[in-house]
Amino acid sequence: MNPAERTTEPELEIWRGKAYPLGATYDGSGTNFALFSEVAERVELCLFDADGTEKRLVLPEVDGFVWHGFVPNVEPGQHYGYRVYGPYDPATGHRCNPNKLLIDPYAKAIDGSIDWGQPLFGYNFGDPDSRNDEDSAAHMPKSVVINPYFDWGTDRPPRHEYADTVIYEAHVKGLTETHPDIPEQIRGTYSAVAHPVIIEHLKSLGVTAIELMPVHHFVDDSTLQEKGLSNYWGYNTIGFLAPDPRYSSSATPGGHVQEFKAMVRALHEADIEVILDVVYNHTAEGNHMGPTLSMRGIDNAAYYRLVDDDKRYYMDYTGTGNSLNVGHPHSLQLIMDSLRYWVLEMHVDGFRFDLAATLAREFYDVDRLSSFFELVQQDPTVSQVKLIAEPWDVGPGGYQVGNFPPQWTEWNGKYRDTVRDYWRGEPATLDEFASRLTGSSDLYEQTGRRPFASINFVTAHDGFTLRDLVSYNEKHNEANGEDNRDGESNNKSWNCGAEGPTTDEAVNELRARQQRNFLTTLLLSQGVPMISHGDELGRTQGGNNNVYCQDNEISWIDWAAADSELMEFTRTVSALRAAHPVFRRRRFFDGRPVRQAGAPSAPDIAWLAPDGSDMTAEDWETGYAKSMAVYLNGHGIPDLDVRGQQVVDDSFLLCFNAHYEPIEFALPPKDFAAQWTPVISTAANLDDTPLAAGAKVTVEARAVLVLRAEKD
């Protein structure tokens, strides 16, 4: 039967309802449904029984382009979708087709998976200008009405200050799937992330925030399924308010929402914040050849950026086929409503925005003061949580590191690249390495931001793991089925003398040292450190630097093979950071002398050559120079504690040697400290025998030595 011939089911009542809030809202007596569409001529609400039987109700009212109705006695667990009647004219940007069942953009839960085939597409295969009227309902996941009530108990957000934050980037399944102490039935789920063994591990590392890779409901691409692969990472969103049920141990429709909330509550009880990696730059509907799943069939021109002179096509700043139209008020409203929902109802503590430069594109240029960022700044809820930008996209002018508004922090890609180059021995990196080590003031200070605007990272989900970074010169992505063409080719990696696994003890020892060098640099740099899950355990992906489609042992942490020595080393360095505010300053260094009662003045920071002299311009500019020391003055911290008292700490000397031979360092004179105690060494077993001022100490090849100044 043609959908146009269908009428309201006589046994169901539908009242006029309300235009706000959008989505499906259960109030105890029934459910209000509201859907935005400027182009719709009629909207049908489709309710599905457990056996798949569909009942349709025409939404009776429209206010401000929001179609709405209230259905008594519709309770949580009800599956539903929409059919939108309106123009189908791709040349003018319109793709309405009531034969396509549509997911509610405001669905708070989505159940089922996509059954790929012709019915999902608005055109006939082989003829993109045609119209296909096959019904898609049997092949589509369904939106689900949820129970909004949850016992949060005494839950409160930890609200860690940025300067005190240590972020742990993790994948729900990859983190927990093989852990032997997690019950098998909950491995890979939200409940597993909340399990005491995972929380204990995070706490032991000094982690204050877990940053979860996408948990918004996403779609598995048909091309991956045909290869026997899947969209493991989840950067293919179709539901901005719905947690994905793949990561749930609950079989109850909508039960994964309760499970997600329980995870957040448990992490908060452990004083750990929850940050979500969110993908608001595009959706799973792809380009003009993609399926009609939701927004395309609701109001294509409102939700997506279309090519001005031919609206059949989509502007693609993401490399995924489409870009969300953040210049349209209702598209912006969807993003803001989603953010507020996750903060207010799901209690999350912040967001990392994937390809955030796309959200700044109102026209063709990246505009730092675009409408999206203005709305965020003015929003009393969203502006108060952690906001982290991935400050680039694939469009022209898309690399925007350092250019986001003041309340934002950024994944510092320049930190990653510089630290990698320094430790693999690239020439002329010393001066930029020093800048990255001290918070990247060249990127953030001029906009009034602080060192913690820099989210420092050496590795992330996208690219080599830390162990692979020191084990491979080339990517090895053959398992992805793209002849090793996918993934970044310029990884700034170094295999330390052999490609991949080796029995060469010297190579393996160097690799272990290099991992310690990276972790020490990361955790003792000014700014906010981000550890990629499993790096502290020596996790490997076998040289695959693009495991987006590998939901298997390639991408999961192998807890049985964990490097316990590296884990303990990471804990030690993280504990040093947590204990000493000199490593997590809230303001940039200025290099000026600091007066100390009863002691000679010393600058808040000093850069020293290995011979103990101040670094000169020539020292910085010498291309082959790979060694230096930096003095951090614990009396030169311009911060106040919570009681308004001046922060005072121990002073430290960090000796960096990226040279292939040992370097002898002269310790500073008594003006700095009477003696120095080694506290961290990445080279070998630590000798913590105190050393006198001015003494000589050897730093092994490619190693870091950290010394603490001792009082007289």
Side-chain angles (χ1 to χ4, degrees):
M1 181 180 291
N2 189 308
E5 300 173 4
R6 300 298 295 266
T7 58
T8 302
E9 292 289 331
E11 68 272 22
L12 287 174
E13 286 187 87
I14 184 165
W15 305 344
R16 65 183 183 184
K18 297 179 180 179
Y20 187 85
L22 290 163
T25 306
Y26 174 70
D27 68 359
S29 63
T31 302
N32 190 80
F33 295 89
L35 180 77
F36 158 77
S37 176
E38 275 185 36
V39 298
E41 298 162 1
R42 165 184 164 122
V43 175
E44 286 180 346
L45 168 67
C46 307
L47 303 177
F48 292 87
D49 294 340
D51 63 1
T53 301
E54 176 183 356
K55 298 177 179 137
R56 303 185 191 178
L57 299 170
V58 175
L59 292 181
E61 294 285 342
V62 55
D63 294 299
F65 302 116
V66 175
W67 300 74
H68 54 91
F70 180 88
V71 186
N73 302 318
V74 165
E75 298 184 344
Q78 174 67 59
H79 289 58
Y80 73 98
Y82 291 108
R83 297 181 185 271
V84 175
Y85 296 76
Y88 184 86
D89 184 8
T92 60
H94 302 307
R95 295 178 179 267
C96 297
N97 185 338
N99 298 286
K100 309 304 174 186
L101 184 75
L102 305 173
I103 295 169
D104 182 359
Y106 278 78
K108 298 179 180 69
I110 300 171
D111 188 36
S113 58
I114 284 178
D115 176 22
W116 286 101
Q118 176 67 82
L120 297 180
F121 294 81
Y123 64 92
N124 295 295
F125 292 160
D127 185 6
D129 293 324
S130 64
R131 170 172 163 150
N132 176 271
D133 283 335
E134 293 181 63
D135 195 284
S136 67
H139 309 274
M140 282 287 295
K142 310 300 189 291
S143 307
V144 181
V145 177
I146 70 159
N147 183 347
Y149 306 108
F150 180 78
D151 182 7
W152 283 103
T154 59
D155 182 70
R156 61 168 184 81
R159 296 193 185 281
H160 294 297
E161 293 190 39
Y162 270 119
D164 302 327
T165 296
V166 176
I167 297 173
Y168 191 84
E169 187 199 30
H171 187 282
V172 170
K173 187 172 185 180
L175 174 64
T176 64
E177 182 66 17
T178 74
H179 201 296
D181 296 329
I182 296 176
E184 189 170 349
Q185 65 270 23
I186 68 167
R187 292 178 190 172
T189 69
Y190 304 121
S191 293
V193 174
H195 193 277
V197 296
I198 295 297
I199 290 177
E200 181 183 355
H201 179 70
L202 297 175
K203 296 291 287 184
S204 75
L205 294 171
V207 168
T208 66
I210 185 169
E211 182 179 301
L212 295 177
M213 291 176 64
V215 298
H216 287 178
H217 195 100
F218 63 90
V219 171
D220 269 328
D221 314 69
S222 61
T223 53
L224 290 177
Q225 289 187 352
E226 290 166 2
K227 296 177 183 178
L229 302 171
S230 64
N231 193 320
Y232 170 66
W233 280 351
Y235 290 94
N236 202 30
T237 307
I238 199 62
F240 292 138
L241 285 81
D244 200 291
R246 291 172 180 83
Y247 305 134
S248 176
S249 58
S250 172
T252 304
H256 55 291
V257 178
Q258 304 288 313
E259 185 175 348
F260 182 93
K261 291 178 178 179
M263 174 195 71
V264 173
R265 184 178 60 193
L267 288 164
H268 281 182
E269 288 174 357
D271 206 29
I272 297 173
E273 294 179 307
V274 179
I275 298 171
L276 300 187
D277 190 341
V278 290
V279 188
Y280 293 115
N281 52 71
H282 74 281
T283 76
E285 292 187 290
N287 63 16
H288 65 288
M289 303 293 284
T292 298
L293 307 175
S294 180
M295 301 179 207
R296 170 172 283 148
I298 294 169
D299 195 331
N300 186 59
Y303 280 115
Y304 294 115
R305 289 287 303 274
L306 306 178
V307 175
D308 286 339
D309 56 0
D310 193 342
K311 296 186 182 298
R312 290 178 299 175
Y313 303 109
Y314 296 77
M315 298 296 294
D316 182 11
Y317 297 118
T318 64
T320 58
N322 65 52
S323 301
L324 215 63
N325 183 11
V326 291
H328 192 282
H330 279 278
S331 186
L332 273 175
Q333 181 185 353
L334 171 60
I335 297 174
M336 296 304 299
D337 285 348
S338 169
L339 292 170
R340 279 189 292 269
Y341 174 78
W342 286 98
V343 174
L344 296 175
E345 299 297 326
M346 308 295 266
H347 287 209
V348 304
D349 305 283
F351 306 94
R352 178 264 186 188
F353 292 80
D354 179 65
L355 300 180
T358 299
L359 299 174
R361 292 183 181 274
E362 289 193 332
F363 298 100
Y364 292 103
D365 298 324
V366 174
D367 177 2
R368 203 188 72 177
L369 299 177
S370 70
S371 297
F372 171 70
F373 296 104
E374 291 174 349
L375 285 175
V376 167
Q377 182 169 342
Q378 296 168 16
D379 190 280
T381 297
V382 180
S383 65
Q384 299 306 303
V385 300
K386 287 183 168 65
L387 302 170
I388 305 170
E390 182 186 32
W392 49 76
D393 64 16
V394 300
Y399 191 78
Q400 293 291 315
V401 172
N403 290 332
F404 276 71
Q407 77 270 35
W408 286 70
T409 62
E410 301 175 13
W411 269 27
N412 190 344
K414 292 187 177 182
Y415 180 96
R416 172 199 59 203
D417 295 345
T418 300
V419 172
R420 288 186 178 192
D421 276 344
Y422 175 74
W423 282 115
R424 69 185 179 131
E426 287 295 291
T429 57
L430 200 60
D431 56 345
E432 188 168 0
F433 178 75
S435 178
R436 303 297 157 243
L437 187 71
T438 52
S440 297
S441 60
D442 58 322
L443 299 177
Y444 304 113
E445 190 170 23
Q446 62 183 358
T447 56
R449 288 191 277 178
R450 303 287 181 82
F452 48 76
S454 178
I455 305 297
N456 299 329
F457 67 107
V458 175
T459 63
H461 68 272
D462 190 1
F464 282 143
T465 67
L466 184 60
R467 180 174 171 183
D468 289 355
L469 185 69
V470 301
S471 303
Y472 295 92
N473 284 347
E474 308 296 336
K475 63 186 180 183
H476 297 270
N477 298 356
E478 289 80 7
N480 297 354
E482 299 181 44
D483 296 323
N484 206 33
R485 293 190 301 268
D486 63 301
E488 177 61 55
S489 296
N490 180 21
N491 292 284
K492 299 182 179 292
S493 61
W494 177 44
N495 65 18
C496 297
E499 188 74 358
T502 179
T503 57
D504 189 316
E505 291 185 8
V507 170
N508 286 329
E509 193 284 326
L510 177 56
R511 288 175 177 174
R513 194 184 327 148
Q514 286 284 74
Q515 290 176 80
R516 294 192 292 268
N517 289 336
F518 281 119
L519 287 166
T520 301
T521 304
L522 175 66
L523 288 166
L524 300 187
S525 293
Q526 304 298 323
V528 179
M530 184 185 79
I531 301 170
S532 181
H533 75 181
D535 276 356
E536 77 284 4
L537 305 170
R539 182 173 78 93
T540 179
Q541 294 174 168
N544 191 323
N545 73 349
N546 191 32
V547 297
Y548 77 102
C549 58
Q550 299 293 336
D551 186 4
N552 50 49
E553 291 82 359
I554 293 175
S555 59
W556 304 336
I557 289 179
D558 183 355
W559 287 91
D563 184 337
S564 59
E565 291 184 2
L566 183 61
M567 181 169 62
E568 285 304 316
F569 180 85
T570 307
R571 290 169 174 168
T572 298
V573 182
S574 183
L576 183 69
R577 174 189 179 85
H580 293 284
V582 74
F583 296 117
R584 40 189 176 83
R585 290 166 51 108
R586 288 161 172 77
R587 289 174 173 80
F588 290 106
F589 295 98
D590 59 27
R592 291 180 291 191
V594 178
R595 293 183 179 179
Q596 303 177 40
S601 64
D604 64 349
I605 187 170
W607 301 97
L608 306 173
D611 64 4
S613 63
D614 290 336
M615 291 282 287
T616 65
E618 184 178 354
D619 292 330
W620 288 116
E621 294 168 3
T622 300
Y624 58 80
K626 297 180 178 64
S627 305
M628 67 174 180
V630 55
Y631 166 76
L632 306 179
N633 190 341
H635 289 266
I637 305 173
D639 299 332
L640 302 178
D641 63 21
V642 293
R643 292 181 294 274
Q645 301 298 310
Q646 185 71 39
V647 173
V648 177
D649 192 15
D650 295 328
S651 299
F652 288 85
L653 186 72
L654 283 64
C655 301
F656 293 92
N657 179 22
H659 193 52
Y660 60 83
E661 292 182 334
I663 295 288
E664 190 175 64
F665 281 76
L667 299 181
K670 286 187 177 180
D671 287 357
F672 289 81
Q675 62 180 14
W676 299 87
T677 300
V679 292
I680 298 288
S681 173
T682 65
N685 291 332
L686 178 69
D687 180 357
D688 59 1
T689 303
L691 301 166
K696 302 283 182 70
V697 61
T698 298
V699 179
E700 296 299 324
R702 298 190 175 93
V704 183
L705 179 65
V706 180
L707 305 101
R708 183 182 62 239
E710 300 298 341
K711 299 178 178 61
D712 293 340

